[in-house]
Amino acid sequence: MPSSRALLLVPLLGLGLVLAEVQEEVFRPQVELLRKDKRVVAWVSGEEGSLFYADYGDLHVGELRELSRERARVGDREFFLDGGSAVEEGLEAGERVEVAFNPNLQREGLPYLMRLRRAGEGKAERYLRLVLYDPKGVEVRLGEEVEARGPLGVVERGGGEALFLSGGGARFLEEEGYLLLDPRPGEVWLAQGAVRVKGSRLRYRNETGEALVEGPLEVQREGERPLRGRAGGLRYLLDEDRLWLLGGVEFVQGGRTTKAERALLQEKEGYAYLYGGVESRDERGFVRGERVRYALRTGEVVVLLQVQGEFRE
């Protein structure tokens, strides 16, 4: 391991991992997920402080009997947890779950729990976790149009494929031979064209092609009339190349404030389509409707369904 860069390079044939050598012998390892004809790629810069690490585990499916911050019992087996263990939210005793664990890393005779989630239909015998950390930001490309960035990325294979992007960090403890993983909500950016959205975490599931960004979100678009906004969350559908802002969408641009329940961004066209109780106000009055076309460059609105309004001379 080249400790000067804190970068662990692991060649994994057939798993989409690419090690690319660039100037000054800096390596930029990347991992790729394929969905139909679309690609999801994540990579680190390979510069000082960046890390790329792969570890393997086994899979076990059974009934969740106990779950605490330090231990889990699934069927007749027990596992220990720490802050780097990925646990699906809302799990309750009695549910059928799938646990990925490292049998070679033990504490008090218990193997380490890497991931715990509700059991799906997919079956696999092995689990692979790829950890990417970069103080400058792990880069992610979702298809051709959408990019994301955040300090810590985790890619999972086994019983399904997923990618997670968050704040926090990771470092390899050489003496213990152990990866210390510390995912936390943080500053995660997603961009489509000139529109940039800041949230706290991104989750992508390759079996559905759906990426979710947790809010509250900050939305911005630079230009002659800069746009600033907010939303409760973001949903991106890779197959359809559709990016939705959800839950209390608000755009502020050039003296105009526009609110809606949700918005479909069509950055290539230069528009957003707003739905659900849309209201747009400026110093001259307001306009309302159930479906509104919003010009991202200027902030102009056109009501397409159920128009109402009031204007002052």
Side-chain angles (χ1 to χ4, degrees):
M1 171 178 175
S3 58
S4 62
R5 295 194 188 112
L7 179 64
L8 185 62
L9 304 178
V10 185
L12 301 167
L13 297 179
L15 290 177
L17 177 65
V18 179
L19 304 182
E21 186 173 1
V22 295
Q23 295 180 359
E24 299 180 357
E25 298 183 354
V26 174
F27 292 91
R28 298 184 61 195
Q30 68 181 44
V31 61
E32 176 183 288
L33 301 178
L34 297 177
R35 176 175 169 81
K36 300 178 182 179
D37 59 343
K38 302 289 183 69
R39 300 166 62 236
V40 175
V41 184
W43 67 93
V44 296
S45 67
E47 298 180 7
E48 185 74 29
S50 64
L51 178 146
F52 186 97
Y53 184 86
D55 54 1
Y56 294 86
D58 295 332
L59 294 176
H60 173 68
V61 175
E63 179 184 329
L64 178 62
R65 296 188 177 181
E66 296 180 18
L67 178 61
S68 68
R69 295 182 61 182
E70 299 180 348
R71 294 195 178 194
R73 186 180 178 192
V74 177
D76 58 355
R77 305 192 65 173
E78 282 192 89
F79 309 88
F80 85 88
L81 293 74
D82 65 12
S85 301
V87 178
E88 186 173 345
E89 295 180 1
L91 290 178
E92 297 181 356
E95 291 189 86
R96 185 172 177 269
V97 296
E98 176 191 82
V99 56
F101 65 98
N102 184 345
N104 300 316
L105 180 60
Q106 297 196 2
R107 180 182 298 170
E108 299 178 1
L110 301 181
Y112 174 59
L113 186 147
M114 303 166 69
R115 182 194 69 190
L116 180 65
R117 70 174 189 177
R118 292 176 178 86
E121 297 300 325
K123 295 183 179 179
E125 296 180 356
R126 295 284 285 170
Y127 171 77
L128 170 64
R129 181 177 67 178
L130 298 162
V131 177
L132 301 87
Y133 171 69
D134 198 325
K136 293 185 176 181
V138 175
E139 302 277 358
V140 176
R141 179 175 288 275
L142 300 159
E144 298 297 326
E145 304 297 331
V146 174
E147 298 177 347
R149 174 192 288 262
L152 179 64
V154 177
V155 175
E156 296 181 338
R157 298 177 186 269
E161 295 181 325
L163 180 148
F164 304 90
L165 197 61
S166 69
R171 58 192 179 96
F172 186 75
L173 307 177
E174 295 188 55
E175 293 185 3
E176 295 85 349
Y178 171 60
L179 178 72
L180 184 62
L181 184 62
D182 183 24
R184 304 177 187 174
E187 189 171 298
V188 171
W189 288 90
L190 184 141
Q192 184 184 53
V195 175
R196 301 181 74 231
V197 180
K198 183 175 75 171
S200 60
R201 287 186 295 194
L202 180 149
R203 296 175 293 151
Y204 169 76
R205 303 283 187 184
N206 204 38
E207 56 262 42
T208 62
E210 179 183 64
L212 300 173
V213 179
E214 296 180 12
L217 305 181
E218 295 180 18
V219 183
Q220 56 184 252
R221 187 181 191 276
E222 301 301 335
E224 294 182 8
R225 294 169 69 87
L227 180 152
R228 297 291 182 267
R230 61 185 181 181
L234 180 151
R235 181 174 183 243
Y236 176 67
L237 303 175
L238 180 66
D239 295 352
E240 304 169 15
D241 191 25
R242 286 179 174 263
L243 194 158
W244 287 90
L245 297 175
L246 306 169
V249 177
E250 179 179 282
F251 293 159
V252 178
Q253 188 173 16
R256 177 181 293 277
T257 299
T258 304
K259 299 180 180 181
E261 293 178 5
R262 61 193 186 278
L264 173 63
L265 292 180
Q266 299 282 15
E267 172 65 13
K268 275 187 176 180
E269 299 178 10
Y271 295 105
Y273 292 88
L274 280 56
Y275 300 85
V278 186
E279 180 178 282
S280 186
R281 289 181 174 270
D282 63 11
E283 67 279 1
R284 296 179 301 158
F286 70 88
V287 64
R288 296 188 182 122
E290 284 301 306
R291 184 184 178 204
V292 169
R293 189 182 70 184
Y294 185 100
L296 294 169
R297 186 176 63 85
T298 63
E300 296 177 351
V301 298
V302 176
V303 179
L304 304 176
L305 183 65
Q306 295 184 11
V307 61
Q308 299 178 35
E310 180 180 298
F311 297 94
R312 292 183 290 273
E313 292 292 339

